Amino acid sequence: MLTAVLLALAIGVEVAASALLPKAEGFTNPIWTAVVLVGYGVAIWLLTVVVKSMPVSVAYAIWAGAGTALVAVVGLVFLGESFNWVKALSLAMIVAGVVGLNLAGAH
């Protein structure tokens, strides 16, 4: 249970850091650059804690897949990015893969 919470936290921190990348302005804005880099550092540190009790292949795939899907949603909802049926289908496949990995890792 704690592993799942830590993985969710790692995903959330990574998504937040990714959503803040435009504010870093190509790493020319020092404050936002620091926020982004600290966010990624915390996310990776949390992932290293998670892989102590979960296979790295499953943890990383869930982290990367869920993070990718959530960043796409954040981009759509908060950053004004476009959305079409190809993106929707692609996100659905990512979610299906994450669910499948969760089910496979649980056994």
Side-chain angles (χ1 to χ4, degrees):
M1 179 66 174
L2 178 60
T3 301
V5 170
L6 291 175
L7 182 56
L9 186 58
I11 292 165
V13 171
E14 186 265 337
V15 168
S18 295
L20 293 172
L21 274 171
K23 290 190 173 282
E25 300 171 352
F27 290 147
T28 61
N29 183 317
I31 293 173
W32 286 110
T33 294
V35 170
V36 167
L37 292 176
V38 167
Y40 283 138
V42 169
I44 293 292
W45 173 74
L46 286 166
L47 189 60
T48 65
V49 174
V50 167
V51 298
K52 289 180 181 179
S53 55
M54 177 185 284
V56 68
S57 60
V58 174
Y60 184 77
I62 293 168
W63 181 73
T68 300
L70 288 171
V71 167
V73 171
V74 167
L76 171 69
V77 174
F78 297 107
L79 304 176
E81 295 178 4
S82 66
F83 198 73
N84 58 40
W85 71 270
V86 174
K87 284 186 179 181
L89 180 61
S90 299
L91 288 174
M93 289 189 293
I94 291 169
V95 170
V98 169
V99 168
L101 286 167
N102 265 314
L103 293 173
H107 296 109

